[in-house]
Amino acid sequence: MEIVSRKEQHNINKLHKRLRRLVGTAIADFNMIEAGDRVMVCLSGGKDSYALLDILRSLQAHAPLPFELIAVNLDQKQPGFPEHVLPGYLTSIDMPFRIVEQDTYSVVKRVIAEGKTTCSLCSRLRRGVLYRVASELGATKIALGHHRDDILETLFLNLFYGGKLKTMPPKLVSDDGRHIVIRPLAYCKEKDLETYAQIEDFPIIPCNLCGAQKNLQRQAVKEMMQQWDKKFPGRLETMFTALQNVQPSHLVDPALYDFCGLKTGNGPVADGDKAFDPETFEPAMAEILSLNKG
């Protein structure tokens, strides 16, 4: 039993180190946090935002540059929402926080017809409130808990249903130019965050506003990706790598690349066509066997 416990503790330590490393790498790659920043961490009560806050606190304690953290939760007045949970948790870990009360729940219920997807409107209303609060608090960055799988899901949602090749960026500026939003969990897998939340025993609060919507497009995409991950291990990692290796000259958007202005020259051209392009990928054997069976 002692050997098993030691192995479990070893795996727990590895997970903690891996997540801290991935968050630290994302912060460095995109210059998410700078000296003197006041980072507003949006805490929903879900596993991802809890993990985000916990990891940022850990990094803050060892960071070579000083920055502040303040947790903010938006109480949307959903029926049965346990108001005491987040204040109790944040007080227990000595974390500065602010609870914002705004009845967006009744707005969503009034505007969206029964059975229709509420996520889009709910998200827009929530984001507007958080921008206002960030200004009131003097926050220089707004940290959200979206992870790698969220980014990939959004890519496919835009591809399948929106006719766009875009996703959630790890860092962006608001349309009014006043706020910078960061996603420090951009390199983290959802299943790792689930395990992390279980280990840390965070007091998870479910979202009752949209939790009953079983046929959401995002849920369908999530299930598709989970099946891929089981059947073809490594596929999600490869897809995420592709988002970091974009070649506009090999897509079909004339606004992104000057196809009309292409001309022959006297020397080699970067990203030019080759007579025989070398293969830069090798399909997994399991996928080949699956295709052959089909």
Side-chain angles (χ1 to χ4, degrees):
M1 191 66 166
E2 185 179 355
I3 295 175
V4 174
S5 297
R6 285 179 179 175
K7 182 177 180 181
E8 288 175 349
Q9 187 59 51
H10 175 70
N11 290 334
I12 289 172
N13 292 340
K14 282 178 61 178
L15 175 63
H16 279 69
K17 289 179 181 178
R18 179 165 68 252
L19 288 174
R20 285 198 298 270
R21 174 177 56 79
L22 290 171
V23 171
T25 301
I27 290 173
D29 285 352
F30 298 94
N31 193 30
M32 292 185 183
I33 298 177
E34 301 168 88
D37 268 342
R38 190 172 206 212
V39 182
M40 187 178 95
V41 183
C42 300
L43 193 65
S44 67
K47 67 182 189 316
D48 304 323
S49 60
Y50 273 123
L52 172 63
L53 178 63
D54 195 67
I55 295 168
L56 286 180
R57 279 168 56 87
S58 176
L59 292 176
Q60 181 190 39
H62 304 93
L65 50 86
F67 62 91
E68 294 181 62
L69 295 173
I70 180 168
V72 171
N73 169 256
L74 172 58
D75 180 354
Q76 298 176 266
K77 295 305 175 184
Q78 298 179 23
F81 182 78
E83 300 175 349
H84 64 286
V85 172
L86 286 172
Y89 171 75
L90 294 168
T91 301
S92 71
I93 63 172
D94 195 26
M95 179 69 205
F97 69 93
R98 178 171 170 183
I99 305 297
V100 181
E101 297 185 3
Q102 187 87 34
D103 187 5
T104 61
Y105 176 85
S106 61
V107 175
V108 171
K109 284 299 186 183
R110 184 175 68 251
V111 173
I112 303 297
E114 190 68 30
K116 298 293 184 179
T117 302
T118 60
C119 294
S120 179
L121 177 59
C122 179
S123 178
R124 288 200 302 273
L125 292 173
R126 187 168 62 244
R127 190 69 60 87
V129 174
L130 292 174
Y131 283 163
R132 172 178 59 79
V133 175
S135 296
E136 293 172 357
L137 294 174
T140 54
K141 303 287 171 58
I142 301 173
L144 303 180
H146 298 120
H147 45 68
R148 183 205 69 174
D149 296 58
D150 287 324
I151 292 173
L152 286 173
E153 286 167 16
T154 304
L155 172 69
F156 284 111
L157 283 168
N158 280 308
L159 188 64
F160 295 163
Y161 305 108
K164 295 179 181 178
L165 194 58
K166 76 171 195 175
T167 186
M168 295 175 173
K171 180 181 180 182
L172 75 159
V173 65
S174 60
D175 56 3
D176 62 5
R178 298 176 58 195
H179 304 283
I180 292 180
V181 176
I182 59 175
R183 296 183 170 99
L185 300 180
Y187 293 162
C188 300
K189 301 177 184 178
E190 182 173 23
K191 58 186 178 184
D192 280 349
L193 295 169
E194 287 175 349
T195 304
Y196 189 85
Q198 291 169 3
I199 292 169
E200 297 298 327
D201 196 26
F202 296 132
I204 305 298
I205 301 174
C207 177
N208 296 322
L209 179 60
C210 56
Q213 295 178 290
K214 299 298 184 183
N215 296 318
L216 294 178
Q217 293 170 339
R218 182 171 289 276
Q219 184 60 35
V221 169
K222 180 186 288 289
E223 291 171 359
M224 176 191 74
M225 287 173 47
Q226 288 173 344
Q227 291 172 6
W228 281 353
D229 196 33
K230 290 178 181 178
K231 194 170 184 180
F232 308 116
R235 175 179 281 190
L236 299 186
E237 285 76 9
T238 302
M239 289 192 299
F240 191 79
T241 299
L243 289 176
Q244 302 166 288
N245 187 23
V246 179
Q247 297 185 25
S249 64
H250 284 58
L251 295 176
V252 200
D253 188 347
L256 192 63
Y257 187 81
D258 185 15
F259 293 100
C260 294
L262 281 179
K263 299 184 185 306
T264 58
N266 296 322
V269 178
D271 293 328
D273 190 39
K274 298 179 177 66
F276 299 98
D277 286 337
E279 292 291 349
T280 56
F281 59 90
E282 183 177 339
M285 185 55 65
E287 189 159 358
I288 292 175
L289 293 174
S290 175
L291 291 171
N292 289 339
K293 288 180 181 177

